Amino acid sequence: MTELGLIVGIDAAALAFAALLWRLVSLHDSGPLGMRRLGAALERAARALLFREYGLVAVATALTALAVVALRGGLSGYPSAVTGLEAGFWTVSGLLLGALFTTFAARAAAIVTLRGSVRAAAGAQMSLDRSLTIAMRSAGTASLLGETLSLLGFVGLFGAAYAIKGGFALPPEQARPLAAQVVGLLPCFALGAAAAALVVQRAGGTFHAASGVASDGAGERDAGLDHDDPRNPAVVSELIGDHVGAVATRSVDAFLASSVGNSAALLLSLKLAEGREGPDATGLLVLPILIRAFGILATAFSIPFVRTDEASNLAHALLRGHVSTAVISLAGIAGICYWLVPAHWGVLTGAGALGVGATSATAYLLTLQARRSSPLLRDASDAARLGAGALLASGMASSLLAIAPGLAVFAASGFGAVRIAQAIPEAGSADLTCLVWGMAALSVMPYTLALASIGPIADGARGIAAMTPLDQELKRRIARLDDAAFISAAVARQYAALAGALVAFFTVRALSELTTFQGEQLGPVVFWGAALGATLALGYAGASARAAVRCARELAAEVERQLRGFPREHGIAAIPSDYTPSYKTCVDLGSSLCLRQTLPPVLGLLLLPGALGLCLRALFHGQAGQAALVWLVLVTAVLGLTSASYFDVLRTLLGALRRTNRTRDSAVAFTPSIVADALGDVFGNSAAPALQLTVKALAATALVVAPLLL
């Protein structure tokens, strides 16, 4: 009871701190009248798109809930202390609660960061530090809201079900079995989050990628407009896409990772606590959730450390915040282990240090590859002289090289966590050290989500500044902020892939504890599970990229239509400086196109794993369905997350090259860099997030369905 109260108290304090951060941001000036009007128009358009997504979220959640309830009604798998009716009630409640909290987190993140972009642009009039502080506080607000809502919803669902069954009044020997049975119902919260997250990502990611490609291709390359030129009809769509696409997607991705990771970690903790008595058993049950809670606390303490001045490197300020988060998290892990598992706190703290250090080092290895002086970027710049084809080939080859060192460091850290488990002479020691290792790595997720959000905030501030008549010094400051935030957001995207790998690892390990099957069943089970996993990962990502390209084609045609009537000189349209295009037409067109085909692939991704489990259960009359789910999650994780990491690195390298060739002064590399950046936009902003969410959504589905296939 004490531990549960501590978790809720930390989350409530973090939620209050997020509200305080946003209040501090709101007190800053939102700029001159033109900037305020632009910000209000962007917010109205973003709200309209998000509101249209809510209907699709409701449909996806309702159909998923019906499918799961029907599955529960037709199969066994109910915990002994929970009746079928109660299981159905908590399943539907968890699904609705997960979807509701996820949708709210996405909406809050998009609106908060959009307002932060306006105020960061206005704050640059005072100083670079003012602009950075506003951007970081806005990103921190969005991050803490998503993380605390995920943990509060998860713990609240457990507490409500446990209290209604009278768990808090039972003696320990009866309360622990009841807690185990209630924990088995919690993955439904993650499944509801998955249904909402997939809709938000599919619609927002498609809009984001398509608007960026159309703005750069039809407006900048073909019409000869400068980047973020207000005469470009798609420039407002691109600004909106930064928030309803990038920010909202990263928010729901982190929310889902937290929900699935917490569910799987609690299931593992229950297995570790079996056969133990006294405080040690209770401590193992709450250990993973407490580690995550202290990560939220560390983020709240670290956000104020992100400060700078006109002469300092902004990347160092963002790194300082990351280091302080890691140090505070590690100190919290040491204290938690000493409190809950005093006999092995030193070994477990070492495992936590490996997790925190390895994931941070792996993510920051990318910064070395994305610098303008890096050999990979120089090779890509040289290849651009041969044309877009050579540039794409060089960028794709360089991306393969860039992901290898990080994956090696991450794998070595995991092996190290298993190795130090030998110092604990008890059964399940490897699972225990890996549990602490993984949860410690996930503990810095709130800060990395803030880094992911600061990139779109800074990019939006740069676009808003370009569309308003502000002085050049202000625009120079915002450009510095944007360049530093671009690399930080790339670091956060790599971390998201690592977080997905950890979530998949916990899920596979938890499912493995449920699964026993005969050796003669291994061949077909592995084949069908692995085949479906690969098909879902590649098919869903490919469909997302295809939808983005189709939407981009229609938007580009609209941009060309609006600019067609102006005469051209040397291929550049002679557009009057006071020309105002129809931004609303592009926004409405993009919104309709991105929402049109969102629901069918999302429902297919959520429902197919359960159908596979049912088929295999009928064919083999055993636990083959559970084994198939294990292999499905495993293959999807390996293939999907490796591909997502590759696409993210490709997006970073091609985006960095594009930033060095934003003006037509670099005549040789200008056009090839736009073409290459379009590829990076489609795969980095649409396919890569789709792959990451695919892994986590399938993990959530497997955790819900597997116990029913007994």
Side-chain angles (χ1 to χ4, degrees):
M1 187 67 180
T2 302
E3 294 86 351
L4 193 63
L6 180 60
I7 294 170
V8 173
I10 291 174
D11 280 351
L15 199 60
F17 183 72
L20 175 62
L21 283 179
W22 178 235
R23 176 60 181 166
L24 293 175
V25 171
S26 301
L27 293 176
H28 290 286
D29 182 30
S30 54
L33 180 60
M35 187 177 291
R36 292 198 300 271
R37 286 179 175 174
L38 176 59
L42 293 174
E43 185 173 334
R44 285 195 300 271
R47 287 180 183 275
L49 177 56
L50 291 169
F51 183 78
R52 295 178 68 181
E53 290 177 3
Y54 299 160
L56 299 181
V57 170
V59 174
T61 305
L63 292 178
T64 304
L66 287 175
V68 176
V69 169
L71 197 63
R72 282 192 179 278
L75 299 174
S76 61
Y78 303 122
S80 58
V82 181
T83 67
L85 183 61
E86 289 174 328
F89 170 78
W90 290 114
T91 295
V92 174
S93 299
L95 279 162
L96 295 178
L97 191 66
L100 179 65
F101 277 26
T102 304
T103 305
F104 179 78
R107 178 185 181 279
I111 299 305
V112 163
T113 55
L114 200 156
R115 293 179 181 176
S117 290
V118 176
R119 286 167 171 78
Q125 297 178 99
M126 301 291 295
S127 66
L128 183 60
D129 179 64
R130 175 70 63 87
S131 184
L132 174 63
T133 299
I134 293 172
M136 194 62 203
R137 287 176 176 175
S138 302
T141 301
S143 171
L144 290 173
L145 277 175
E147 192 73 13
T148 53
L149 286 175
S150 174
L151 202 50
L152 280 174
F154 186 83
V155 174
L157 184 65
F158 170 82
Y162 190 67
I164 288 176
K165 298 299 293 183
F168 292 113
L170 294 175
E173 61 272 10
Q174 298 178 20
R176 195 173 302 124
L178 177 62
Q181 294 159 8
V182 172
V183 167
L185 300 172
L186 295 180
C188 61
F189 179 83
L191 185 59
L198 287 170
V199 171
V200 170
Q201 183 279 319
R202 181 64 181 252
T206 301
F207 186 91
H208 182 207
S211 58
V213 172
S215 177
D216 290 348
E220 191 171 352
R221 182 196 61 189
D222 297 341
L225 299 175
D226 293 334
H227 190 71
D228 293 327
D229 194 309
R231 296 171 294 175
N232 187 338
V235 69
V236 169
S237 299
E238 187 176 13
L239 290 175
I240 296 170
D242 284 335
H243 300 278
V244 300
V247 174
T249 294
R250 293 304 170 193
S251 179
V252 298
D253 182 83
F255 190 103
L256 180 56
S258 177
S259 302
V260 181
N262 290 339
S263 300
L266 272 181
L267 291 173
L268 281 176
S269 296
L270 285 170
K271 291 296 180 182
L272 291 172
E274 286 182 356
R276 299 173 184 261
E277 298 295 338
D280 283 352
T282 305
L284 287 176
L285 286 176
V286 299
L287 178 64
I289 307 301
L290 264 178
I291 291 175
R292 293 298 302 274
F294 270 86
I296 296 174
L297 195 63
T299 300
F301 275 108
S302 300
I303 288 174
F305 282 92
V306 182
R307 304 298 298 268
T308 189
D309 54 47
E310 298 295 330
S312 300
N313 189 333
L314 285 178
H316 294 164
L318 297 171
L319 177 60
R320 186 164 56 248
H322 200 149
V323 170
S324 63
T325 302
V327 171
I328 296 172
S329 295
L330 190 55
I333 291 168
I336 292 167
C337 292
Y338 186 78
W339 175 30
L340 299 178
V341 197
H344 310 302
W345 77 275
V347 176
L348 297 181
T349 301
L354 284 174
V356 172
T359 50
S360 300
T362 300
Y364 273 97
L365 279 174
L366 180 61
T367 62
L368 302 177
Q369 312 295 340
R371 292 178 178 175
R372 295 184 179 182
S373 59
S374 71
L376 297 181
L377 209 56
R378 286 202 306 269
D379 289 345
S381 297
D382 293 339
R385 301 177 182 277
L386 301 178
L391 173 57
L392 290 174
S394 176
M396 295 172 73
S398 298
S399 299
L400 287 173
L401 291 173
I403 66 172
L407 293 178
V409 170
F410 183 65
S413 171
F415 282 123
V418 175
R419 180 69 177 174
I420 65 175
Q422 297 177 359
I424 302 178
E426 296 178 8
S429 58
D431 282 339
L432 179 58
T433 55
C434 286
L435 181 64
V436 174
W437 169 75
M439 297 307 286
L442 292 174
S443 68
V444 295
M445 182 183 290
Y447 186 81
T448 55
L449 177 59
L451 289 183
S453 299
I454 199 174
I457 290 173
D459 192 35
R462 187 170 188 164
I464 290 169
M467 295 184 68
T468 51
L470 302 176
D471 61 87
Q472 292 301 314
E473 177 61 23
L474 180 146
K475 295 181 179 180
R476 184 192 65 81
R477 289 171 179 164
I478 295 177
R480 285 187 60 194
L481 176 64
D482 184 30
D483 289 339
F486 172 78
I487 299 298
S488 297
V491 170
R493 289 197 299 269
Q494 284 297 292
Y495 180 85
L498 299 179
L502 292 170
V503 167
F505 166 74
F506 288 143
T507 303
V508 168
R509 192 68 192 90
L511 292 174
S512 298
E513 293 292 338
L514 299 172
T515 306
T516 58
F517 51 92
Q518 300 299 320
E520 62 269 16
Q521 298 174 349
L522 180 61
V525 164
V526 171
F527 177 80
W528 291 111
L532 183 61
T535 301
L536 288 176
L538 297 179
Y540 189 76
S544 297
R546 183 169 178 263
V549 172
R550 294 175 65 182
C551 185
R553 186 175 64 241
E554 297 293 332
L555 279 177
E558 174 59 25
V559 172
E560 292 172 355
R561 185 194 66 80
Q562 293 194 34
L563 302 180
R564 189 177 298 149
F566 296 101
R568 293 181 178 261
E569 299 177 2
H570 305 292
I572 299 176
I575 304 173
S577 59
D578 59 349
Y579 171 71
T580 302
S582 177
Y583 303 125
K584 186 177 185 298
T585 302
C586 288
V587 173
D588 291 343
L589 177 62
S591 300
S592 299
L593 291 171
C594 73
L595 293 169
R596 187 175 299 168
Q597 296 180 342
T598 293
L599 202 55
V602 168
L603 291 175
L605 188 65
L606 290 171
L607 301 180
L608 276 178
L612 173 70
L614 287 175
C615 292
L616 290 175
R617 182 179 185 269
L619 289 172
F620 294 105
H621 306 288
Q623 294 182 330
Q626 291 181 332
L629 292 178
V630 172
W631 285 97
L632 182 146
V633 174
L634 182 61
V635 171
T636 305
V638 173
L639 179 63
L641 294 173
T642 303
S643 301
S645 181
Y646 170 73
F647 290 146
D648 278 330
V649 173
L650 180 65
R651 170 74 184 95
T652 301
L653 292 180
L654 296 180
L657 181 64
R658 173 75 180 92
R659 286 168 174 267
T660 64
N661 297 287
R662 271 187 168 171
T663 65
R664 291 182 178 270
D665 296 336
S666 51
V668 175
F670 178 76
T671 298
S673 67
I674 290 181
V675 174
D677 191 47
L679 178 73
D681 275 338
V682 169
F683 284 96
N685 294 330
S686 180
L691 282 167
Q692 293 177 5
L693 279 176
T694 297
V695 173
K696 295 153 191 169
L698 291 181
T701 304
L703 287 173
V704 171
V705 173
L708 305 177
L709 301 179
L710 293 172

